[in-house]
Amino acid sequence: MGLKRTKLLGIQAVTGINTVGILTVGTTPTAGGVGIASTTYLRGVVMHNTGLNTCTSSLYVYPSDVSDVSVGQTAYRLARVDLGANETFFFEMNYPLVLVDQEKIVVEVTAPQNDGVGIGSVVNYQILGDTDIN
């Protein structure tokens, strides 16, 4: 299979406090509507807090054998950052992370340890990368 030039996902808005799986390889359709994302090459993630309060945003990659994506598991966390109101954070890797069958990208919005509530904060996530299309 060849790589298809398409958008992996549209912007995913997550309201805190919440943990959500936003992409499952082999299940999630691409935003471009050209097929199901199979082997996926994650290059980066943009996180933007549109809310009025500070929140903590986390990014996880879960292996295929983990089905419960409703709780952030620190063993699979790639990034965790406090985002102030209207603040943007860009997570980028030097080399793409390869995700295969049923591996998942999971994001979380929680209350920060200092100053902030997290509740009602909306964080927009944009996943950057490429995929093979089934």
Side-chain angles (χ1 to χ4, degrees):
M1 287 187 206
L3 291 177
K4 181 72 175 174
R5 184 179 203 132
T6 186
K7 182 186 272 189
L8 282 176
L9 291 174
I11 293 173
Q12 302 293 303
V14 177
T15 302
I17 295 178
N18 206 357
T19 305
V20 179
I22 59 173
L23 184 138
T24 300
V25 175
T27 302
T28 306
T30 62
V34 296
I36 302 293
S38 59
T39 302
T40 299
Y41 306 90
L42 177 65
R43 292 185 293 142
V45 178
V46 179
M47 306 173 190
H48 175 73
N49 181 4
T50 66
L52 300 175
N53 293 307
T54 299
C55 67
T56 297
S57 176
S58 298
L59 171 69
Y60 303 86
V61 173
Y62 282 21
S64 59
D65 61 343
V66 176
S67 59
D68 182 11
V69 297
S70 65
V71 176
Q73 298 183 33
T74 56
Y76 307 123
R77 185 169 52 218
L78 296 180
R80 180 178 180 177
V81 62
D82 285 350
L83 294 173
N86 294 313
E87 188 173 6
T88 302
F89 174 76
F90 184 64
F91 174 78
E92 182 178 33
M93 291 174 276
N94 291 333
Y95 190 79
L97 177 65
V98 180
L99 303 172
V100 294
D101 190 40
Q102 297 303 305
E103 292 183 320
K104 301 155 194 68
I105 297 174
V106 177
V107 295
E108 179 179 57
V109 179
T110 58
Q113 300 229 349
N114 303 317
D115 265 356
V117 293
I119 297 171
S121 293
V122 178
V123 177
N124 290 337
Y125 295 91
Q126 179 67 61
I127 304 298
L128 307 174
D130 299 302
T131 190
D132 288 332
I133 300 295
N134 279 341

